[in-house]
Amino acid sequence: MRIGLITADPDHQLLADTTDLLTPRHEVVALDPGGHGAGAPDPVPPGELADVYLLKARTPRALALARSLERAGAPVVNSAAATARCQDRTAMAGLALSAGLPFARTRTLRSCAALAAERLRRPVVVKSRHSRRHDLVARVDDAAQLRALSADWADEPVVVQDFVPNDGWDHKLWVIAGRVFAALRRSELAAGGRGPALPLAADALPPGWLEPVLRVGPVFSLDVYGVDLIDAGEGAPLIVDINAFPGIRGQAGAPGELAALALRVAERGRGRRPRPYPAGAEILGESRPK
């Protein structure tokens, strides 16, 4: 089998450990989508497509590359469309709430400056509408804080959620093909910084929390995803974020689940005729006869 990794960082722990499990019996190919622009990816030269691609990067170019591979007939996990839904927090909230998931109520404004023109009646959480590295996520308690935030992010499209009092801990749940991994981590909104993730057994979650997390997969068409939840009071879960293909560092068994998922998806497409590798493919492991 040939397994492709769409990533600028094939040495990421999850991907590196998964590669170690897949090789030497299978071939792993890394594709760096390059840059953060929305330009079209390089054309496909002669060669062969991988049997499946794991879409770890979420930049516009990575999504464009994934779409081109899908058009060529290669399966991509997660699909470009499913990944894009998780990059737009407005679309994310709308889909989650329409499906009845316990997601934070969310409204969208064209800019942070537009929010600053409103009268703030209660503490809110302000986030960039479009999820990306180093985006805006901040708690705002009063008009002065809002004005300060707008000074730095005036033109940023934002979503706004009412701040829900909680204990300051995020329950971070990650799912690979239905298997759940979990940890606790201080919220990025909490004083004192986030700190390391603390181990948490999935069966130690409050009653009823797994059901909405597992529903996220089919609702968003995701096979590999992360869900951040807080306790909204009396043990009620509230989803505050959903991520396509998160890092899942330090979770025993996660690389094995990801390798098994890649091989299952690849096996379903083995009947395809050989197709080209995209430009810039880097072979990380050599295939050998089974």
Side-chain angles (χ1 to χ4, degrees):
M1 297 287 189
R2 289 187 177 91
I3 293 88
L5 309 177
I6 303 175
T7 179
D9 183 16
D11 294 326
H12 182 286
Q13 180 185 2
L14 175 64
L15 298 181
D17 290 348
T18 301
T19 296
D20 288 344
L21 293 173
L22 289 168
T23 56
R25 293 188 68 193
H26 305 281
E27 190 175 38
V28 178
V29 179
L31 298 178
D32 184 349
H36 293 268
D42 293 333
V44 179
E48 292 185 351
L49 276 178
D51 296 292
V52 64
Y53 289 90
L54 303 181
L55 177 54
K56 182 67 179 73
R58 291 169 284 187
T59 62
R61 281 189 62 84
L63 293 175
L65 175 58
R67 292 186 187 101
S68 73
L69 293 166
E70 290 170 338
R71 287 193 296 269
V76 178
V77 178
N78 301 290
S79 72
T83 302
R85 277 192 291 271
C86 293
Q87 297 307 103
D88 183 339
R89 289 188 169 108
T90 298
M92 179 198 303
L95 180 55
L97 290 167
S98 67
L101 292 168
F103 196 92
R105 295 288 172 181
T106 302
R107 62 189 182 99
T108 303
L109 287 92
R110 67 181 184 277
S111 68
C112 194
L115 176 62
E118 296 185 359
R119 180 179 178 184
L120 191 65
R121 299 180 182 277
R122 61 182 65 87
V124 296
V125 177
V126 182
K127 302 178 182 179
S128 295
R129 172 174 177 171
H130 302 289
S131 176
R132 61 193 187 277
R133 289 178 64 85
H134 310 303
D135 61 0
L136 169 62
V137 179
R139 174 180 170 177
V140 178
D141 292 334
D142 54 43
Q145 289 180 346
L146 186 53
R147 287 194 297 271
L149 193 68
S150 180
D152 294 329
W153 296 86
D155 297 327
E156 180 78 0
V158 295
V159 298
V160 182
Q161 301 164 345
D162 286 346
F163 175 75
V164 177
N166 62 89
D167 61 4
W169 288 91
D170 287 343
H171 290 74
K172 302 188 71 66
L173 275 66
W174 304 286
V175 181
I176 302 176
R179 180 172 171 184
V180 179
F181 304 86
L184 281 172
R185 192 174 185 184
R186 292 293 292 172
S187 168
E188 59 190 312
L189 304 176
R194 302 201 71 176
L198 304 178
L200 179 68
D203 58 8
L205 291 166
W209 282 39
L210 280 181
E211 188 272 337
V213 170
L214 292 173
R215 284 186 58 215
V216 165
V219 167
F220 281 81
S221 300
L222 295 168
D223 292 301
V224 184
Y225 60 94
V227 180
D228 291 353
L229 303 98
I230 61 173
D231 187 333
E234 299 181 353
L238 183 69
I239 298 174
V240 295
D241 204 7
I242 297 170
N243 298 290
F245 218 122
I248 322 181
R249 288 182 174 86
Q251 294 290 317
E257 290 292 338
L258 184 57
L261 171 63
L263 293 177
R264 286 197 302 272
V265 175
E267 183 67 34
R268 292 199 293 265
R270 287 195 76 181
R272 296 193 319 273
R273 295 175 59 187
R275 289 188 174 92
Y277 276 129
E282 174 191 356
I283 297 178
L284 301 182
E286 295 296 332
S287 61
R288 299 179 185 174
K290 294 184 178 181

